[in-house]
Structure formats: structure tokens, C-alpha cells
Amino acid sequence: MAAKRPIKIFDTTLRDGEQSPGASMNLTEKMEIAHALVDLGVDIIEAGFPIASPGDFEAVREIAQSIRGAQICGLARCNDADIDRAWEALKHAENPRIHVFLATSAIHREFKLKMDKNEILERAVYGVRRAVGYCDNVEFSPEDAARTELDFLCQVVEAAIHAGATTVNIPDTVGYATPAHMGRVIRTLVERVPNIDRAVISVHCHNDLGLAVANSLAGVENGAGQIECTINGIGERAGNCSLEEVVMALRTRGDYSDADTAINTQRLVPTSRLVANVSGIQVQRNKAIVGRNAFAHEAGIHQDGMLKERRTYEIMRPEDVGFAKTDLVLGKHSGRAALADRAKALGYHLTGEQLQSVFEEFKILADKKKEIYDADIAALIDQRIHDFSELWSVVSYQLAAGTGQTPSVTLTLRHGSEEVSEQMACGDGPIDAIFLAIEKLTQVTVACRDFRVQAVTVGKDAQAEVNVELDYHGKLYRGRGVSTDSVEASAKAFLNAINRIIGASRHTAEEPAAAASGGK
């Protein structure tokens, strides 16, 4: 039986995915996701845009130095400063890749770059050559390729490959393409670019029309050998091609595509949950592949068919994408080894110090709950990942509230080694009162744009998970808190976001570079 054509998976969750409003990640969170992506089996990890900010540079450099098992990629525009900065961050990687891009469509040439076609060609060639001077693994992207004239796109791609690009990525930057359109673009490059055999064709599709996965598959069908995508399809605007969907489409319909990836599909659900918890962007229940309802059957006809033969209504097995057949239940008598083993199975890489911290919180939770499920453990670990122990934390609170009454709150927070308290009668309800007290104690005033509460698991004693999104000077900051007490979880979430704001203000130079999105 002939082997299927291998398709490389280029994951840009840490770069393009992080551009989702409010989804910024700290270094610890990025490292955790990078480890999970290696376990998942992605070929290339686009770790960030090093020139965009000191924080992005540090994240790319740390991932390049620490992560093994995948190519590590950094994004750069076609100019000296970007490319030099990218290499500085990537140079210690086991297998580094520099990814340079330049817009090519008529609308971008006229209004954004104010350059003609010859200038675009010269700049693209110069950028690729400079990158090749640092390493021989160079990717070039003609930004907004899907809206670029085909004749000119072929010219640019040929010139980039001649200059040394080993991968040419064809981005549908604004999600404008349809499958037939995207297929035609890739097929034209295969047929008309004379040196196309010297490079891998990649596709990078956005989801503005809900067609990112379909467009990516059309690209593969017509000759693309790499797909750029994100976990859960996160990304700016409507997001990117969803990794789990495109991978399972290739795997399930290998009879049609005759192509496959090296992804360990049993890691899809754990990785999806990790990214959802870290980014604060939760997966919808009916999301394909990883949604909670993806393998649920309620209709009587479906249930009857499933009982007789699973394949009547399931084209994939839930265990193939990482849904556990059983949810391992731990309790207060469970030891550190059992917790460590379950954390590893859930896709977490904990240091000894982190494991000890999580174990102590696990024991406290075990005294409150009879049974602790996988989701409870994930919530505890994620809380540890999000920890800003050097900043503000909740010590205690007291609330008095009732219908038609102004709530009163006494709140005590810890700031370093100091404890400070505030007593107030304010707000529209107990949660609002807690938030106002936190603002007064931390002296950070914000606008709450989003507030969501959900149960982590089942039962009356389930932990509450609270996600908030705060607006501070026009920028969104995300916060997450978990507790069996929903009010305490709300306070933790609000403080988590406040701590992010304070942390960001310590890096006043950390402003995004112009066009930091990469526009792809």
C-alpha cells in the first residue's frame, strides 16, 4: 500500500493565534503550549514576531533555546532590523526558520506600502537573501496573496525561491478566497513557476467567511505541502484554519486526499483544552472534533444506530482525538505520584516546584470535594501557570447583600508580604462590590467588558471557573480564576487581569511594531 503524501503542520497559535483580542500570553504560558505542541507532533512552531516587543523577543528566544523536536520559526518583515532581530532570537534553536513576508496585492501596494511591482520584487528578494545569510531554512509569504494578480504572484514566488526561500506560503490574509479560488491559485503556481519544485508550497487561510479549513484542504488537493493553522482556530478577527479540524479531515478522508500529517491525534483534545484555558477563549460546545458535543448523540434514531454499530453515526472514534473513555477520579487519599501521572497524561510539563504547589492546592480542594476530575486538575494547574505571586492575591472577603440593598464588602488582599484591607458599601451586587474594592486597593481603574462563569465539572460542589476581560486604556486584558466559591473565583479572575495590567505597565517600551500582525 503506497504511503500517503506527507503534509507539514505549521502551528502559529503562539503568533497569529495570540493576536485574538485579549488572548495575550505570558512567557510561562507560551512555554507550556510550546511543549504541548511538540507532544502533539507539529512540524513547525511559529513562536512569535521578535521585533514586535521585548516580550515577544524573549518568548521566541526562550522557546528556541529550550524546545526540541520541532522547527522554531520567527516572523519578520523584509527589512534589516526585523530579520536581524528574528535571527538573534532564533540562533540557538535546534532547527530555526526565519519567516519573511511582504504584501503583494494591488490594494496593499497602493495604500499600505506605496510601492510598485518592481520595488516589491526587489524588496522581497533582498529580504529572503538577508534571511538566507543567517540560515538555510527560510519561508517567504506574499501577504494578501489570494487577492494578488496571478501573473505577479508567480513572478514574486519564482524570485523568492531563486533567492533561497525553501518554503513559499500563500496567505489568504483577509479570508476572501473560496475553495475553488484557493485551489486555482495553488495549481497555477505548480504549473507556471519553473523552480517551484525547489520549495514547499504552504497555505495560510483566515476564516472570515468560515472557509479556512476548506480552503486549506483545497490547497493541499492542488499541491500544497504545508498547512499553517492554530489550535481551536484562534486568531485575529474570525480566526485561522483550525489545526484539529484540518488534521482530522485529512486523516478521516485519506481515501480522497491521499495525504496525511504526523500529528498524534490523541493529543488534540488535551492541547485544545490547554490553549482554551491559557487564552481564555473557550471552545463552543458544538465545535468540530474537540467540542463537548462533538461525539454526543441525543436523537433516539442516532442512539439506536450507535448501539447497533458505532460507525452508523460516527466517522471517528472519540478516543482517536483524545477524549478519555473514563474520567479518572482522584480523591484526598491520592498521592503526589498519581497527580503527577495524571498531569502528564493531560499534557502538562510541571517542574518539581510547580508539582508541589499544585499538590498542596489539590489537597485543599480534596477536602472540599469528594471527587476530583481531570478538569479540576487542569484548572488547578492552569491557575498555577497564571500565578503572579509577586503581585496581588486574595486573602479573604466578607459580603453582605440583599434584594434592594447596597452591598457592603470587606476585602483583604496580599501585596508582596503586606496585607491591605478595604471596607466599602457600593456596587449593583456582590460581584460588582468586590471588583470596586479591588480597584480601590490596587489603584487600577478598568472597565469590565466581559464576565463569564461556568462549572469546571459536574455536581453541586463543582469548581466555578470565571473569565473576565478588562479594558485598560483601550487595551484588553484577560483574567481567570477558579474556586469552589464563585465569588472568590470572580475576585481571583479580576485580580489575575489586574496583575497582567501591572506587569505590562512595567514594560512601557513593549509596544507592538507597526504591522505587528504580520497581516497573514
mmCIF file of all heavy atoms in Angstrom, residues 431-471:
data_model
loop_
_atom_site.group_PDB
_atom_site.id
_atom_site.type_symbol
_atom_site.label_atom_id
_atom_site.label_comp_id
_atom_site.label_asym_id
_atom_site.label_seq_id
_atom_site.Cartn_x
_atom_site.Cartn_y
_atom_site.Cartn_z
ATOM 1 N N ILE A 431 -20.694 40.924 43.329
ATOM 2 C CA ILE A 431 -19.522 40.827 42.446
ATOM 3 C C ILE A 431 -19.018 42.219 42.095
ATOM 4 O O ILE A 431 -17.805 42.489 42.124
ATOM 5 C CB ILE A 431 -19.863 40.040 41.161
ATOM 6 C CG1 ILE A 431 -20.368 38.640 41.501
ATOM 7 C CG2 ILE A 431 -18.651 39.967 40.238
ATOM 8 C CD1 ILE A 431 -19.370 37.769 42.224
ATOM 9 N N ASP A 432 -19.937 43.112 41.770
ATOM 10 C CA ASP A 432 -19.559 44.495 41.452
ATOM 11 C C ASP A 432 -18.864 45.140 42.647
ATOM 12 O O ASP A 432 -17.869 45.861 42.491
ATOM 13 C CB ASP A 432 -20.807 45.294 41.058
ATOM 14 C CG ASP A 432 -20.472 46.655 40.455
ATOM 15 O OD1 ASP A 432 -19.399 46.772 39.829
ATOM 16 O OD2 ASP A 432 -21.270 47.590 40.623
ATOM 17 N N ALA A 433 -19.360 44.880 43.849
ATOM 18 C CA ALA A 433 -18.752 45.441 45.055
ATOM 19 C C ALA A 433 -17.318 44.941 45.232
ATOM 20 O O ALA A 433 -16.406 45.710 45.554
ATOM 21 C CB ALA A 433 -19.597 45.076 46.279
ATOM 22 N N ILE A 434 -17.108 43.631 45.024
ATOM 23 C CA ILE A 434 -15.764 43.056 45.112
ATOM 24 C C ILE A 434 -14.832 43.726 44.094
ATOM 25 O O ILE A 434 -13.691 44.096 44.405
ATOM 26 C CB ILE A 434 -15.811 41.533 44.857
ATOM 27 C CG1 ILE A 434 -16.395 40.801 46.058
ATOM 28 C CG2 ILE A 434 -14.439 40.989 44.512
ATOM 29 C CD1 ILE A 434 -15.407 40.465 47.145
ATOM 30 N N PHE A 435 -15.315 43.885 42.861
ATOM 31 C CA PHE A 435 -14.487 44.480 41.811
ATOM 32 C C PHE A 435 -14.108 45.918 42.158
ATOM 33 O O PHE A 435 -12.963 46.337 41.972
ATOM 34 C CB PHE A 435 -15.221 44.443 40.466
ATOM 35 C CG PHE A 435 -15.324 43.061 39.854
ATOM 36 C CD1 PHE A 435 -16.010 42.870 38.658
ATOM 37 C CD2 PHE A 435 -14.735 41.954 40.460
ATOM 38 C CE1 PHE A 435 -16.106 41.609 38.088
ATOM 39 C CE2 PHE A 435 -14.826 40.692 39.898
ATOM 40 C CZ PHE A 435 -15.514 40.522 38.701
ATOM 41 N N LEU A 436 -15.070 46.698 42.667
ATOM 42 C CA LEU A 436 -14.791 48.092 43.022
ATOM 43 C C LEU A 436 -13.783 48.168 44.168
ATOM 44 O O LEU A 436 -12.908 49.047 44.184
ATOM 45 C CB LEU A 436 -16.090 48.805 43.401
ATOM 46 C CG LEU A 436 -17.061 49.057 42.236
ATOM 47 C CD1 LEU A 436 -18.411 49.533 42.767
ATOM 48 C CD2 LEU A 436 -16.489 50.085 41.261
ATOM 49 N N ALA A 437 -13.883 47.244 45.120
ATOM 50 C CA ALA A 437 -12.927 47.223 46.231
ATOM 51 C C ALA A 437 -11.526 46.885 45.739
ATOM 52 O O ALA A 437 -10.528 47.455 46.204
ATOM 53 C CB ALA A 437 -13.379 46.223 47.295
ATOM 54 N N ILE A 438 -11.440 45.965 44.784
ATOM 55 C CA ILE A 438 -10.130 45.611 44.214
ATOM 56 C C ILE A 438 -9.527 46.814 43.497
ATOM 57 O O ILE A 438 -8.326 47.101 43.640
ATOM 58 C CB ILE A 438 -10.271 44.415 43.245
ATOM 59 C CG1 ILE A 438 -10.580 43.134 44.031
ATOM 60 C CG2 ILE A 438 -8.995 44.229 42.431
ATOM 61 C CD1 ILE A 438 -10.877 41.933 43.143
ATOM 62 N N GLU A 439 -10.350 47.525 42.728
ATOM 63 C CA GLU A 439 -9.849 48.716 42.030
ATOM 64 C C GLU A 439 -9.288 49.743 43.019
ATOM 65 O O GLU A 439 -8.230 50.342 42.782
ATOM 66 C CB GLU A 439 -10.966 49.352 41.197
ATOM 67 C CG GLU A 439 -11.317 48.579 39.927
ATOM 68 C CD GLU A 439 -12.374 49.284 39.109
ATOM 69 O OE1 GLU A 439 -13.451 49.600 39.662
ATOM 70 O OE2 GLU A 439 -12.124 49.528 37.921
ATOM 71 N N LYS A 440 -9.999 49.931 44.124
ATOM 72 C CA LYS A 440 -9.545 50.924 45.101
ATOM 73 C C LYS A 440 -8.241 50.508 45.761
ATOM 74 O O LYS A 440 -7.323 51.315 45.945
ATOM 75 C CB LYS A 440 -10.629 51.154 46.158
ATOM 76 C CG LYS A 440 -10.296 52.315 47.102
ATOM 77 C CD LYS A 440 -11.494 52.744 47.919
ATOM 78 C CE LYS A 440 -11.146 53.961 48.789
ATOM 79 N NZ LYS A 440 -12.307 54.395 49.599
ATOM 80 N N LEU A 441 -8.116 49.231 46.126
ATOM 81 C CA LEU A 441 -6.905 48.759 46.794
ATOM 82 C C LEU A 441 -5.701 48.743 45.859
ATOM 83 O O LEU A 441 -4.585 49.082 46.255
ATOM 84 C CB LEU A 441 -7.136 47.350 47.363
ATOM 85 C CG LEU A 441 -7.964 47.267 48.652
ATOM 86 C CD1 LEU A 441 -8.312 45.822 48.960
ATOM 87 C CD2 LEU A 441 -7.184 47.872 49.817
ATOM 88 N N THR A 442 -5.913 48.333 44.614
ATOM 89 C CA THR A 442 -4.783 48.243 43.670
ATOM 90 C C THR A 442 -4.522 49.560 42.958
ATOM 91 O O THR A 442 -3.482 49.724 42.320
ATOM 92 C CB THR A 442 -5.058 47.167 42.606
ATOM 93 O OG1 THR A 442 -6.242 47.514 41.863
ATOM 94 C CG2 THR A 442 -5.248 45.799 43.249
ATOM 95 N N GLN A 443 -5.490 50.503 43.051
ATOM 96 C CA GLN A 443 -5.397 51.804 42.380
ATOM 97 C C GLN A 443 -5.295 51.648 40.868
ATOM 98 O O GLN A 443 -4.622 52.416 40.178
ATOM 99 C CB GLN A 443 -4.213 52.611 42.923
ATOM 100 C CG GLN A 443 -4.347 52.951 44.395
ATOM 101 C CD GLN A 443 -3.211 53.816 44.906
ATOM 102 O OE1 GLN A 443 -2.348 54.267 44.156
ATOM 103 N NE2 GLN A 443 -3.200 54.068 46.203
ATOM 104 N N VAL A 444 -5.960 50.632 40.344
ATOM 105 C CA VAL A 444 -6.048 50.415 38.901
ATOM 106 C C VAL A 444 -7.528 50.444 38.529
ATOM 107 O O VAL A 444 -8.305 49.614 39.000
ATOM 108 C CB VAL A 444 -5.432 49.069 38.479
ATOM 109 C CG1 VAL A 444 -5.590 48.850 36.973
ATOM 110 C CG2 VAL A 444 -3.965 48.998 38.871
ATOM 111 N N THR A 445 -7.927 51.413 37.717
ATOM 112 C CA THR A 445 -9.327 51.566 37.320
ATOM 113 C C THR A 445 -9.513 51.021 35.909
ATOM 114 O O THR A 445 -8.775 51.388 34.985
ATOM 115 C CB THR A 445 -9.747 53.042 37.358
ATOM 116 O OG1 THR A 445 -9.519 53.552 38.683
ATOM 117 C CG2 THR A 445 -11.218 53.196 37.005
ATOM 118 N N VAL A 446 -10.501 50.150 35.752
ATOM 119 C CA VAL A 446 -10.711 49.477 34.471
ATOM 120 C C VAL A 446 -12.202 49.450 34.139
ATOM 121 O O VAL A 446 -13.045 49.785 34.978
ATOM 122 C CB VAL A 446 -10.185 48.026 34.520
ATOM 123 C CG1 VAL A 446 -8.684 48.000 34.731
ATOM 124 C CG2 VAL A 446 -10.900 47.227 35.607
ATOM 125 N N ALA A 447 -12.501 49.059 32.913
ATOM 126 C CA ALA A 447 -13.879 48.788 32.502
ATOM 127 C C ALA A 447 -13.989 47.301 32.218
ATOM 128 O O ALA A 447 -13.159 46.743 31.480
ATOM 129 C CB ALA A 447 -14.242 49.597 31.262
ATOM 130 N N CYS A 448 -14.973 46.636 32.802
ATOM 131 C CA CYS A 448 -15.160 45.199 32.600
ATOM 132 C C CYS A 448 -15.983 44.985 31.328
ATOM 133 O O CYS A 448 -17.147 45.376 31.261
ATOM 134 C CB CYS A 448 -15.861 44.575 33.797
ATOM 135 S SG CYS A 448 -15.979 42.770 33.701
ATOM 136 N N ARG A 449 -15.365 44.391 30.308
ATOM 137 C CA ARG A 449 -16.026 44.185 29.020
ATOM 138 C C ARG A 449 -16.691 42.817 28.906
ATOM 139 O O ARG A 449 -17.596 42.626 28.106
ATOM 140 C CB ARG A 449 -15.014 44.339 27.881
ATOM 141 C CG ARG A 449 -14.365 45.705 27.798
ATOM 142 C CD ARG A 449 -15.398 46.790 27.596
ATOM 143 N NE ARG A 449 -14.787 48.101 27.386
ATOM 144 C CZ ARG A 449 -15.403 49.248 27.584
ATOM 145 N NH1 ARG A 449 -16.665 49.243 28.020
ATOM 146 N NH2 ARG A 449 -14.783 50.387 27.386
ATOM 147 N N ASP A 450 -16.203 41.850 29.693
ATOM 148 C CA ASP A 450 -16.780 40.505 29.608
ATOM 149 C C ASP A 450 -16.621 39.814 30.957
ATOM 150 O O ASP A 450 -15.602 39.973 31.629
ATOM 151 C CB ASP A 450 -16.075 39.698 28.511
ATOM 152 C CG ASP A 450 -16.796 38.389 28.202
ATOM 153 O OD1 ASP A 450 -18.017 38.308 28.449
ATOM 154 O OD2 ASP A 450 -16.145 37.448 27.714
ATOM 155 N N PHE A 451 -17.654 39.067 31.347
ATOM 156 C CA PHE A 451 -17.636 38.341 32.611
ATOM 157 C C PHE A 451 -18.397 37.046 32.401
ATOM 158 O O PHE A 451 -19.576 37.053 32.070
ATOM 159 C CB PHE A 451 -18.300 39.180 33.713
ATOM 160 C CG PHE A 451 -18.451 38.456 35.031
ATOM 161 C CD1 PHE A 451 -17.379 38.307 35.889
ATOM 162 C CD2 PHE A 451 -19.681 37.912 35.404
ATOM 163 C CE1 PHE A 451 -17.523 37.642 37.105
ATOM 164 C CE2 PHE A 451 -19.838 37.241 36.612
ATOM 165 C CZ PHE A 451 -18.747 37.102 37.465
ATOM 166 N N ARG A 452 -17.699 35.902 32.547
ATOM 167 C CA ARG A 452 -18.316 34.606 32.287
ATOM 168 C C ARG A 452 -18.038 33.642 33.429
ATOM 169 O O ARG A 452 -16.912 33.573 33.915
ATOM 170 C CB ARG A 452 -17.770 34.001 30.989
ATOM 171 C CG ARG A 452 -18.283 34.661 29.718
ATOM 172 C CD ARG A 452 -17.553 34.155 28.491
ATOM 173 N NE ARG A 452 -16.219 34.732 28.377
ATOM 174 C CZ ARG A 452 -15.129 34.019 28.111
ATOM 175 N NH1 ARG A 452 -15.204 32.707 27.984
ATOM 176 N NH2 ARG A 452 -13.963 34.611 28.000
ATOM 177 N N VAL A 453 -19.063 32.913 33.841
ATOM 178 C CA VAL A 453 -18.928 31.905 34.895
ATOM 179 C C VAL A 453 -19.400 30.567 34.344
ATOM 180 O O VAL A 453 -20.451 30.493 33.693
ATOM 181 C CB VAL A 453 -19.776 32.263 36.143
ATOM 182 C CG1 VAL A 453 -19.506 31.266 37.260
ATOM 183 C CG2 VAL A 453 -19.501 33.677 36.606
ATOM 184 N N GLN A 454 -18.624 29.515 34.599
ATOM 185 C CA GLN A 454 -19.060 28.181 34.206
ATOM 186 C C GLN A 454 -18.517 27.170 35.198
ATOM 187 O O GLN A 454 -17.526 27.412 35.876
ATOM 188 C CB GLN A 454 -18.596 27.837 32.795
ATOM 189 C CG GLN A 454 -17.081 27.775 32.619
ATOM 190 C CD GLN A 454 -16.692 27.464 31.180
ATOM 191 O OE1 GLN A 454 -17.453 27.707 30.252
ATOM 192 N NE2 GLN A 454 -15.504 26.930 30.996
ATOM 193 N N ALA A 455 -19.185 26.044 35.285
ATOM 194 C CA ALA A 455 -18.738 24.970 36.174
ATOM 195 C C ALA A 455 -17.627 24.194 35.488
ATOM 196 O O ALA A 455 -17.723 23.873 34.302
ATOM 197 C CB ALA A 455 -19.897 24.042 36.514
ATOM 198 N N VAL A 456 -16.569 23.900 36.249
ATOM 199 C CA VAL A 456 -15.456 23.137 35.696
ATOM 200 C C VAL A 456 -15.863 21.691 35.461
ATOM 201 O O VAL A 456 -15.540 21.087 34.436
ATOM 202 C CB VAL A 456 -14.230 23.201 36.639
ATOM 203 C CG1 VAL A 456 -13.134 22.253 36.181
ATOM 204 C CG2 VAL A 456 -13.699 24.634 36.710
ATOM 205 N N THR A 457 -16.584 21.101 36.425
ATOM 206 C CA THR A 457 -17.045 19.716 36.275
ATOM 207 C C THR A 457 -18.527 19.656 36.624
ATOM 208 O O THR A 457 -19.254 20.617 36.426
ATOM 209 C CB THR A 457 -16.224 18.766 37.176
ATOM 210 O OG1 THR A 457 -16.262 19.248 38.531
ATOM 211 C CG2 THR A 457 -14.783 18.685 36.720
ATOM 212 N N VAL A 458 -18.975 18.538 37.186
ATOM 213 C CA VAL A 458 -20.398 18.361 37.491
ATOM 214 C C VAL A 458 -20.604 18.341 38.999
ATOM 215 O O VAL A 458 -19.679 18.177 39.783
ATOM 216 C CB VAL A 458 -20.927 17.044 36.883
ATOM 217 C CG1 VAL A 458 -20.851 17.075 35.377
ATOM 218 C CG2 VAL A 458 -20.130 15.846 37.418
ATOM 219 N N GLY A 459 -21.863 18.522 39.410
ATOM 220 C CA GLY A 459 -22.208 18.411 40.823
ATOM 221 C C GLY A 459 -22.305 19.760 41.511
ATOM 222 O O GLY A 459 -21.800 20.782 41.037
ATOM 223 N N LYS A 460 -22.967 19.752 42.676
ATOM 224 C CA LYS A 460 -23.144 20.993 43.434
ATOM 225 C C LYS A 460 -21.834 21.511 43.993
ATOM 226 O O LYS A 460 -21.712 22.701 44.303
ATOM 227 C CB LYS A 460 -24.143 20.764 44.570
ATOM 228 C CG LYS A 460 -25.578 20.520 44.093
ATOM 229 C CD LYS A 460 -26.534 20.416 45.251
ATOM 230 C CE LYS A 460 -26.303 19.153 46.064
ATOM 231 N NZ LYS A 460 -27.292 18.994 47.160
ATOM 232 N N ASP A 461 -20.849 20.629 44.161
ATOM 233 C CA ASP A 461 -19.567 21.057 44.711
ATOM 234 C C ASP A 461 -18.534 21.348 43.630
ATOM 235 O O ASP A 461 -17.337 21.444 43.899
ATOM 236 C CB ASP A 461 -19.012 19.999 45.675
ATOM 237 C CG ASP A 461 -18.755 18.658 44.988
ATOM 238 O OD1 ASP A 461 -19.155 18.507 43.806
ATOM 239 O OD2 ASP A 461 -18.154 17.778 45.628
ATOM 240 N N ALA A 462 -18.985 21.482 42.378
ATOM 241 C CA ALA A 462 -18.056 21.738 41.269
ATOM 242 C C ALA A 462 -17.348 23.078 41.450
ATOM 243 O O ALA A 462 -17.913 24.033 41.997
ATOM 244 C CB ALA A 462 -18.809 21.735 39.942
ATOM 245 N N GLN A 463 -16.117 23.138 40.979
ATOM 246 C CA GLN A 463 -15.405 24.407 40.984
ATOM 247 C C GLN A 463 -16.034 25.344 39.953
ATOM 248 O O GLN A 463 -16.458 24.910 38.877
ATOM 249 C CB GLN A 463 -13.934 24.202 40.617
ATOM 250 C CG GLN A 463 -13.120 23.460 41.651
ATOM 251 C CD GLN A 463 -11.650 23.542 41.329
ATOM 252 O OE1 GLN A 463 -10.923 24.374 41.863
ATOM 253 N NE2 GLN A 463 -11.198 22.680 40.427
ATOM 254 N N ALA A 464 -16.069 26.618 40.302
ATOM 255 C CA ALA A 464 -16.516 27.635 39.353
ATOM 256 C C ALA A 464 -15.289 28.208 38.660
ATOM 257 O O ALA A 464 -14.281 28.499 39.301
ATOM 258 C CB ALA A 464 -17.270 28.743 40.066
ATOM 259 N N GLU A 465 -15.373 28.338 37.349
ATOM 260 C CA GLU A 465 -14.324 28.991 36.574
ATOM 261 C C GLU A 465 -14.875 30.324 36.074
ATOM 262 O O GLU A 465 -15.908 30.368 35.414
ATOM 263 C CB GLU A 465 -13.895 28.128 35.395
ATOM 264 C CG GLU A 465 -12.846 28.779 34.510
ATOM 265 C CD GLU A 465 -12.544 27.964 33.274
ATOM 266 O OE1 GLU A 465 -12.116 26.807 33.422
ATOM 267 O OE2 GLU A 465 -12.759 28.483 32.166
ATOM 268 N N VAL A 466 -14.183 31.402 36.405
ATOM 269 C CA VAL A 466 -14.612 32.740 36.000
ATOM 270 C C VAL A 466 -13.577 33.321 35.042
ATOM 271 O O VAL A 466 -12.370 33.264 35.311
ATOM 272 C CB VAL A 466 -14.787 33.670 37.213
ATOM 273 C CG1 VAL A 466 -15.122 35.091 36.760
ATOM 274 C CG2 VAL A 466 -15.877 33.135 38.135
ATOM 275 N N ASN A 467 -14.038 33.853 33.927
ATOM 276 C CA ASN A 467 -13.183 34.562 32.975
ATOM 277 C C ASN A 467 -13.677 35.996 32.833
ATOM 278 O O ASN A 467 -14.883 36.227 32.664
ATOM 279 C CB ASN A 467 -13.218 33.880 31.604
ATOM 280 C CG ASN A 467 -12.446 32.574 31.586
ATOM 281 O OD1 ASN A 467 -11.239 32.568 31.382
ATOM 282 N ND2 ASN A 467 -13.144 31.465 31.810
ATOM 283 N N VAL A 468 -12.755 36.933 32.938
ATOM 284 C CA VAL A 468 -13.110 38.334 32.762
ATOM 285 C C VAL A 468 -12.216 38.934 31.680
ATOM 286 O O VAL A 468 -11.117 38.444 31.410
ATOM 287 C CB VAL A 468 -12.948 39.155 34.062
ATOM 288 C CG1 VAL A 468 -13.853 38.626 35.159
ATOM 289 C CG2 VAL A 468 -11.500 39.188 34.521
ATOM 290 N N GLU A 469 -12.711 39.989 31.082
ATOM 291 C CA GLU A 469 -11.930 40.752 30.107
ATOM 292 C C GLU A 469 -12.053 42.215 30.497
ATOM 293 O O GLU A 469 -13.162 42.770 30.545
ATOM 294 C CB GLU A 469 -12.470 40.511 28.695
ATOM 295 C CG GLU A 469 -11.492 40.859 27.595
ATOM 296 C CD GLU A 469 -11.983 40.366 26.240
ATOM 297 O OE1 GLU A 469 -12.916 40.978 25.687
ATOM 298 O OE2 GLU A 469 -11.441 39.360 25.744
ATOM 299 N N LEU A 470 -10.927 42.836 30.817
ATOM 300 C CA LEU A 470 -10.909 44.212 31.300
ATOM 301 C C LEU A 470 -10.287 45.135 30.262
ATOM 302 O O LEU A 470 -9.303 44.781 29.613
ATOM 303 C CB LEU A 470 -10.121 44.307 32.609
ATOM 304 C CG LEU A 470 -10.523 43.358 33.744
ATOM 305 C CD1 LEU A 470 -9.708 43.667 34.997
ATOM 306 C CD2 LEU A 470 -12.010 43.451 34.031
ATOM 307 N N ASP A 471 -10.862 46.312 30.147
ATOM 308 C CA ASP A 471 -10.350 47.341 29.243
ATOM 309 C C ASP A 471 -9.564 48.355 30.066
ATOM 310 O O ASP A 471 -10.099 49.007 30.954
ATOM 311 C CB ASP A 471 -11.526 48.025 28.540
ATOM 312 C CG ASP A 471 -11.067 49.020 27.473
ATOM 313 O OD1 ASP A 471 -10.009 49.635 27.646
ATOM 314 O OD2 ASP A 471 -11.796 49.195 26.480
#
